[in-house]
Amino acid sequence: MKRSDSDSYRVKVGLAEMLKGGVIMDVVNAEQARIAETAGAAAVMALERVPADIRRDGGVARMSPVAKIREIQEAVSIPVMAKCRIGHSAEARILEALKVDFIDESEVLTPADEENHVYKHDFTVPFVCGCRNLGEALRRIGEGAAMIRTKGEAGTGDIVHAVKHLREVHRDIRNLTLMSRDERMREAKRLAAPFELVEEVAESGRMPVPNFAAGGVATPADAALCMMLGAEAIFVGSGIFKSDDPALRARAIVKATTHWQDAHALVEAEESLGTGMKGIEAASLPEEARMQGRGW
Amino acid sequence: MNGKIAVLALQGDFAAHGRRLREIGLDSFEARKPEQLERAAGLVVPGGESTTLWKFFESAPWEDAIRRFAATGRPVLGTCAGAIVLAREVTHPSQKGMGLLDVTVERNAYGRQIDSFVGEVDAPEFGKTLPAVFIRAPRIRRVGPGVEVLATRGGEPVLVRQENVFAATFHPELTSDTTVHELAFGARRLAQRTA
């Protein structure tokens, strides 16, 4: 039996299915988690600092402190996710033992391993991982990820890289569906992706697991744009708690994610808002300041 | 009426329900506005987060639209979070319920995601067990006199019906078995064919 057909994997992907059409919000403490839940978040993501602060302050960014995770779990009834460093299987085991609902093996934190990611099939808790293209997505799914999100460029408030990654993923998927069978192995080589998963995508025309967007979402319109480009749900990091009215902005982004096809609803979502996060133009970042290059 | 089944698409696994309905030959559409229910032949309230669904219900006249829909006798199916919002009483933590099903439901009653599981449920009425996926699932702790229990797990009700309102604590939409969808909307299939 393929691992992807196992009961354990179906349960993992099942929770990702439940989050579709929703917004997952980064929070650093119980107070922010309550604001997120009240605003209609489908889940919250616990982390030590939001990406914009990691960028500003530098230093090593690690898993959220245990006490903060516990405090967040007690504060809300929606799923609580938490980030671990890329390749940090020990942080992942700690988060699993804390019974977080999903682990994000995230490039936003400082990587613990420059070559390897966590072997996620060995865990009971589901994982989400970032990607810039289909090859990267399928490598993570090969390791056991039950959900994929774009990396975008976290902590910038600039949507351009999330758009680029969504476009690349969907272009790669479309191309695969047009190829003849004898061209698929070469494409698997180009993508550096497991052949079985390449075949699965070629046959189904879809990512094998739910495919969400993250990295630079700061406004309701940004969220709607990601949905238009084929994302099935939205992660928002710094965009909410770095704005002048987080509760209002969180509600507006939730509304825009559900009603992305309804321009009048998007007007209502946008017009309720004050100033968004100032942001950093992603193109102005030097290569070494980009988080998306972490992991491969 | 347009003869189609409305799948509430505010947040949750609405796409999976659409696929199961298509497999039994039923057309469906994603409903994101209350007035879209008026023309529908049936309604699915999918899995997702019940807390999140209530935020949407509070921002538009959904509750009224769903109540009126159910009162016309057209079939309604709620799964997991959908079952929670249709219930009379909700605990752990306590939360509003629409009261379309006279049951008490305890949220996240098996634990967190790590306690989610795939199993079989007993459905003697169909002469078989049904495959079932339980994700951060609720448990039905009390069943009122007008409520029929259609499937159980370890003796506890997991699929119930009160007249035209059906609810499952598990996710039939995440399995390849279409029994629950046929049960709720089977008669509508005939209506669609003859329409």
Side-chain angles (χ1 to χ4, degrees):
Chain A
M1 190 175 70
K2 284 193 301 180
R3 269 177 312 227
S4 56
D5 293 334
S6 71
D7 285 352
S8 156
Y9 197 65
R10 282 169 66 205
V11 164
K12 291 174 178 176
V13 175
L15 180 56
E17 292 282 341
M18 297 311 140
L19 299 170
K20 283 186 178 176
V23 180
I24 300 146
M25 302 181 191
D26 276 2
V27 299
V28 300
N29 56 36
E31 185 199 346
Q32 290 187 352
R34 274 190 288 265
I35 291 171
E37 183 177 56
T38 304
V44 290
M45 172 77 71
L47 75 176
E48 186 192 22
R49 292 173 280 167
V50 295
D53 288 340
I54 294 173
R55 242 177 227 298
R56 192 193 60 207
D57 301 339
V60 177
R62 310 181 180 93
M63 167 186 94
S64 175
V66 167
K68 288 287 176 194
I69 293 170
R70 286 224 168 95
E71 146 191 334
I72 291 165
Q73 285 175 317
E74 274 161 32
V76 296
S77 65
I78 55 178
V80 175
M81 303 186 173
K83 287 185 191 289
C84 78
R85 286 180 263 176
I86 289 175
H88 207 314
S89 304
E91 281 190 351
R93 284 295 177 199
I94 291 166
L95 294 174
E96 181 179 56
L98 284 169
K99 297 192 169 194
V100 304
D101 295 293
F102 236 105
I103 296 177
D104 185 358
E105 186 185 16
S106 177
E107 70 283 359
V108 166
L109 306 187
T110 311
D113 190 321
E114 292 181 337
E115 290 170 347
N116 306 292
H117 286 69
V118 172
Y119 187 70
K120 295 166 273 287
H121 276 301
D122 274 351
F123 287 73
T124 308
V125 64
F127 280 76
V128 52
C129 289
C131 77
R132 287 162 295 176
N133 51 51
L134 183 61
E136 193 171 12
L138 297 183
R139 289 192 290 279
R140 297 293 85 75
I141 295 168
E143 295 159 353
M147 180 202 293
I148 287 296
R149 56 169 176 76
T150 57
K151 286 180 168 174
E153 191 52 47
T156 59
D158 187 344
I159 198 65
V160 67
H161 285 277
V163 167
K164 183 178 168 191
H165 299 159
L166 279 168
R167 291 254 184 219
E168 280 209 37
V169 164
H170 289 281
R171 192 184 307 125
D172 287 343
I173 292 175
R174 264 198 313 277
N175 284 343
L176 259 181
T177 63
L178 298 174
M179 283 179 186
S180 60
R181 283 170 190 275
D182 56 6
E183 292 173 313
R184 290 176 187 165
M185 185 58 89
R186 188 179 182 280
E187 183 65 358
K189 182 183 172 195
R190 184 186 76 82
L191 293 169
F195 184 61
E196 299 70 32
L197 292 173
V198 167
E199 292 232 282
E200 189 180 331
V201 173
E203 300 289 338
S204 70
R206 306 176 14 192
M207 185 76 92
V209 302
N211 180 17
F212 294 6
V217 177
T219 70
D222 289 346
L225 177 61
C226 292
M227 297 298 282
M228 286 174 188
L229 293 172
E232 296 174 299
I234 304 290
F235 284 85
V236 190
S238 320
I240 289 173
F241 290 101
K242 287 287 157 189
S243 70
D244 61 347
D245 190 338
L248 208 58
R249 183 159 296 259
R251 254 200 318 277
I253 292 176
V254 168
K255 182 172 187 167
T257 301
T258 291
H259 297 289
W260 59 275
Q261 297 166 92
D262 178 350
H264 296 292
L266 297 181
V267 170
E268 285 169 19
E270 286 280 347
E271 80 182 343
S272 64
L273 295 178
T275 326
M277 71 182 279
K278 178 161 181 281
I280 307 165
E281 188 188 349
S284 70
L285 287 174
E287 194 64 34
E288 63 275 15
R290 289 191 183 180
M291 291 173 171
Q292 60 181 276
R294 296 165 165 183
W296 62 284
Chain B
M1 274 211 276
N2 61 13
K4 294 183 184 176
I5 310 296
V7 181
L8 197 69
L10 298 171
Q11 189 273 314
D13 71 335
F14 46 86
H17 277 285
R19 285 196 289 274
R20 287 292 92 77
L21 290 167
R22 200 154 48 242
E23 279 164 16
I24 58 168
L26 282 171
D27 289 333
S28 66
F29 68 98
E30 294 179 356
R32 292 188 172 84
K33 289 180 179 177
E35 58 270 24
Q36 288 176 293
L37 300 193
E38 285 165 22
R39 292 159 39 234
L43 171 65
V44 175
V45 186
E49 285 304 317
S50 62
T51 319
T52 309
L53 286 178
W54 272 110
K55 299 300 166 196
F56 282 99
F57 293 167
E58 284 158 11
S59 66
W62 279 106
E63 192 178 345
D64 187 46
I66 294 172
R67 279 179 193 290
R68 272 187 305 163
F69 184 90
T72 63
R74 286 173 282 177
V76 178
L77 168 64
T79 61
C80 196
I84 295 169
V85 300
L86 297 174
R88 167 149 303 160
E89 197 186 351
V90 180
T91 64
H92 189 243
S94 101
Q95 180 174 291
K96 192 175 168 184
M98 284 197 197
L100 294 175
L101 264 173
D102 185 15
V103 294
T104 300
V105 175
E106 180 187 342
R107 295 180 58 202
N108 298 330
Y110 295 93
R112 307 190 74 94
Q113 170 62 11
I114 207 164
D115 307 301
S116 295
F117 60 99
V118 176
E120 303 265 306
V121 302
D122 300 313
E125 208 159 309
F126 308 103
K128 58 176 177 179
T129 59
L130 303 177
V133 181
F134 291 83
I135 309 264
R136 287 171 43 95
R139 279 170 132 144
I140 296 175
R141 294 302 195 186
R142 180 194 63 85
V143 173
V147 177
E148 199 182 336
V149 176
L150 300 171
T152 57
R153 180 177 166 85
E156 287 180 23
V158 291
L159 174 65
V160 296
R161 164 193 197 155
Q162 183 171 342
E163 292 170 7
N164 56 321
V165 181
F166 298 78
T169 59
F170 57 95
H171 295 282
E173 71 277 15
L174 295 184
T175 72
S176 54
D177 188 294
T178 54
T179 306
V180 174
H181 290 82
E182 285 178 74
L183 172 73
F185 303 114
R188 298 286 144 180
R189 186 158 48 157
L190 293 173
Q192 272 190 13
R193 275 203 201 117
T194 52

